[in-house]
Amino acid sequence: MAEQTQDQLPKTTADGIELASSKVEILAGSGTDPTAATFVLHEEDHTLANPLRHAIMQNPEVEFCGYSIPHPSEYKVQLRIQTTQETTALAALKKGLEDVYAMCDHTFKEYHRVMKAGEYEIVDEE
Amino acid sequence: MPYDRDHVVLEAEQVTNISSQEYPHQFPNDTRKFGLEAFRENLQVKIWRVSRDEMEFDLVGLDASLANAFRRILIADIPTMAIETVFMMNNTGVIQDEVLAQRLGLVPIYADPSAFTFKTANQAPTDVNTIVFDLQVRCTRKPNPGPGETDPDKLYQHHSVYSGDLKWSPKGDQAEKFADDPIRPVHSDILLAKLRPGQEIHCEVHCQMGMGREHAKWSPVATASYRLLPHIVLKRPITGDQAERLQACFPEGVIGIVEEDGKRVAKVANPRRDTVSREVLRHDEFKDLVELKRVRNHFIFKIESSGIIPSSTLFSQSIKHLMHKVKVVMKAVEAMENSMVEE
């Protein structure tokens, strides 16, 4: 594994979720084959990695996808993607991200539609 | 038992069929659709109960990874304001400074987090990143208690320090900004310390923005959890006295008994009320008659707010937060892609 130097580490802003220049990188040793790569997502955990893994695995062109958090004291996720010759690991990652976003968006709209319809019991606690 | 795609199976000593296998290429001649289109078709939301601090709703048709992400964000990633620094001017009570400070930290502070920003270690406190409260309580004797009186309420003034004794001290334009909805502890009756005559607590506390992942005091929820909908299968008709014995194995309302052709027959009435205690599997007569399962993609969410943000708002914030996380990573992936092209 490539040794991390100080300037490669993600720059943390106060809220910790702003864009860092090295938020995402490809792990050294991925080679030249575009259909297989391990991505490192800095400052992310199961919250993002697990739904992302799920969305990527739903892509029929993806042969393998899995993630790991190599050590609990390092705030990062390693995401491995292997695809068929029809696509690339990077394209699968991007499609996965788009799909998670779209799933959230749909859930949000559906939740608000039902909330607006108001077919539920309102309980007064006091 | 053949693999059940849609249910988690509960046996007497183990849980089987736990992981979802709902991915392409998993089953021969599979006709199910995957991906976004299927998700849009299948997702259902049903809200059951909403109050200011609590809500229960069902999310059906999504994977555990997504449901769990929403739950994790609710607990750990939505910022609120909480007491972070305590300047102890005087504390002659029996509660030590550090214990009192810890207790103060856990008091939920009613303040709209979107009106504030995070304060970094080297930033000075300002009216947009800090809320100040004063706490000054002195215990005194009440005049003329009855002879032999032992009730502290009748003997002493201010013998208990409550969260309501925290007095907000507005800074900058805070007084105008929050005039309609002043900043205050959510509950005014949280006991912080007890005093006796002559003892005094005087301190200034600073609230800052933070997230539950750093300390639970910043979590906007008391708890946020989900469970899977129970699914009870009666493999053969269960009638007569046996039906009543079956009914007794479950919480009230789970099993109903109906008259059919002059016989009393057990029917599953409301599996939602089942606690899945598995009591029924302990009885030999039901072992082979009943199957206990859970619907793998039916999540019964319960969100209990700490009172700062209304429970119904919390869930939309949680979804928005995950979308924001995706956006940030997407931007970074695109930036990485562009830099790869340049090389």
Side-chain angles (χ1 to χ4, degrees):
Chain A
M1 206 171 81
E3 209 185 350
Q4 271 196 335
T5 59
Q6 202 57 42
D7 56 357
Q8 277 178 315
L9 286 169
K11 292 173 198 78
T12 317
T13 54
D15 58 66
I17 45 173
E18 284 296 312
L19 177 63
S21 60
S22 56
K23 174 89 183 169
V24 178
E25 56 184 341
I26 295 179
L27 201 66
S30 281
T32 50
D33 181 4
T35 67
T38 302
F39 300 92
V40 185
L41 311 181
H42 289 283
E43 302 199 332
E44 290 299 343
D45 56 18
H46 300 281
T47 304
L48 178 70
N50 204 8
L52 185 57
R53 185 219 93 236
H54 169 74
I56 293 169
M57 281 171 80
Q58 294 227 318
N59 182 345
E61 301 303 338
V62 171
E63 286 186 338
F64 176 85
C65 181
Y67 77 91
S68 82
I69 294 171
H71 193 279
S73 65
E74 280 183 290
Y75 196 9
K76 69 177 183 188
V77 167
Q78 289 178 350
L79 183 75
R80 176 73 178 169
I81 305 174
Q82 289 171 206
T83 70
T84 63
Q85 295 300 320
E86 305 299 314
T87 183
T88 64
L90 190 62
L93 172 64
K94 284 172 76 176
K95 186 177 179 333
L97 286 165
E98 277 163 17
D99 285 357
V100 174
Y101 191 87
M103 285 195 275
C104 290
D105 191 48
H106 182 68
T107 311
F108 186 85
K109 284 177 183 149
E110 190 61 14
Y111 175 75
H112 276 263
R113 190 186 64 73
V114 176
M115 205 60 171
K116 238 180 168 175
E119 286 162 3
Y120 51 82
E121 189 189 350
I122 296 170
V123 189
D124 197 0
E125 277 160 351
E126 265 74 46
Chain B
M1 200 194 298
Y3 179 74
D4 185 337
R5 286 179 72 165
D6 302 311
H7 298 101
V8 173
V9 180
L10 295 118
E11 295 171 13
E13 302 291 341
Q14 59 182 323
V15 184
T16 59
N17 290 16
I18 300 162
S19 311
S20 169
Q21 307 283 320
E22 295 304 310
Y23 298 105
H25 318 308
Q26 293 294 306
F27 300 95
N29 308 318
D30 194 3
T31 51
R32 284 199 191 177
K33 283 186 280 178
F34 299 99
L36 259 187
E37 204 185 313
F39 181 85
R40 290 202 178 105
E41 258 168 51
N42 296 335
L43 185 80
Q44 287 170 44
V45 180
K46 159 99 179 123
I47 300 170
W48 291 88
R49 283 184 295 116
V50 179
S51 65
R52 200 178 60 91
D53 289 348
E54 238 182 88
M55 77 179 299
E56 188 175 309
F57 62 99
D58 290 10
L59 282 185
V60 190
L62 74 171
D63 188 67
S65 60
L66 203 59
N68 193 40
F70 295 145
R71 184 194 63 87
R72 283 171 63 94
I73 291 171
L74 283 168
I75 292 170
D77 283 337
I78 293 177
T80 65
M81 302 295 285
I83 294 171
E84 171 68 353
T85 318
V86 178
F87 299 93
M88 206 69 79
M89 257 69 91
N90 192 8
N91 176 17
T92 51
V94 291
I95 303 282
Q96 301 92 321
D97 289 4
E98 64 275 23
V99 179
L100 181 61
Q102 154 76 3
R103 293 177 68 77
L104 281 165
L106 295 170
V107 174
I109 302 296
Y110 184 84
D112 178 8
S114 63
F116 294 91
T117 60
F118 284 91
K119 179 188 166 301
T120 52
N122 46 14
Q123 263 175 340
T126 66
D127 58 340
V128 290
N129 63 27
T130 303
I131 299 169
V132 180
F133 284 94
D134 286 311
L135 179 65
Q136 186 162 19
V137 181
R138 190 182 163 79
C139 180
T140 51
R141 253 174 234 285
K142 277 186 180 172
N144 311 320
E149 183 60 66
T150 53
D151 182 1
D153 280 338
K154 291 175 181 149
L155 283 170
Y156 319 123
Q157 193 77 35
H158 287 304
H159 61 86
S160 294
V161 183
Y162 291 104
S163 52
D165 295 321
L166 286 163
K167 294 286 171 270
W168 177 39
S169 146
K171 306 288 173 196
D173 65 351
Q174 284 178 357
E176 292 164 44
K177 217 164 151 186
F178 301 100
D180 300 335
D181 208 6
I183 292 170
R184 59 186 185 271
V186 173
H187 308 277
S188 56
D189 56 353
I190 303 171
L191 183 64
L192 296 172
K194 287 197 169 187
L195 300 177
R196 282 297 175 261
Q199 296 177 345
E200 183 183 2
I201 289 175
H202 180 200
C203 57
E204 180 177 306
V205 302
H206 287 194
C207 309
Q208 264 124 34
M209 185 133 83
M211 287 188 284
R213 77 159 79 113
E214 191 180 333
H215 192 292
K217 68 183 176 184
W218 279 301
S219 185
V221 292
T223 185
S225 64
Y226 58 73
R227 62 192 178 103
L228 296 177
L229 179 73
H231 178 69
I232 302 159
V233 185
L234 307 180
K235 288 161 57 173
R236 283 198 294 277
I238 298 172
T239 56
D241 290 346
Q242 202 180 22
E244 264 156 40
R245 289 199 297 277
L246 178 78
Q247 195 176 37
C249 288
F250 292 91
E252 217 181 314
V254 174
I255 302 290
I257 295 180
V258 292
E259 290 276 341
E260 257 176 29
D261 309 326
K263 277 193 289 186
R264 285 170 298 143
V265 185
K267 298 276 177 203
V268 179
N270 187 3
R272 208 188 156 82
R273 298 191 65 169
D274 191 18
T275 54
V276 199
S277 66
R278 290 187 265 189
E279 168 69 13
V280 69
L281 301 179
R282 299 177 67 223
H283 299 258
D284 283 338
E285 60 172 330
F286 295 126
K287 249 189 201 160
D288 303 314
L289 289 180
V290 180
E291 276 176 10
L292 292 182
K293 299 179 172 188
R294 284 181 187 274
V295 184
R296 202 185 346 253
N297 65 358
H298 189 133
F299 298 89
I300 301 173
F301 263 86
K302 191 166 182 200
I303 298 176
E304 294 174 34
S305 165
S306 67
I308 301 167
I309 305 168
S311 53
S312 54
T313 316
L314 276 171
F315 188 65
S316 6
Q317 282 196 14
S318 158
I319 304 174
K320 282 284 174 203
H321 193 93
L322 185 58
M323 289 164 83
H324 177 67
K325 271 177 184 283
V326 172
K327 240 187 199 164
V328 170
V329 173
M330 193 58 164
K331 264 190 194 164
V333 168
E334 277 162 3
M336 181 183 71
E337 201 180 7
N338 291 339
S339 70
M340 274 157 50
V341 174
E342 280 162 27
E343 284 163 19

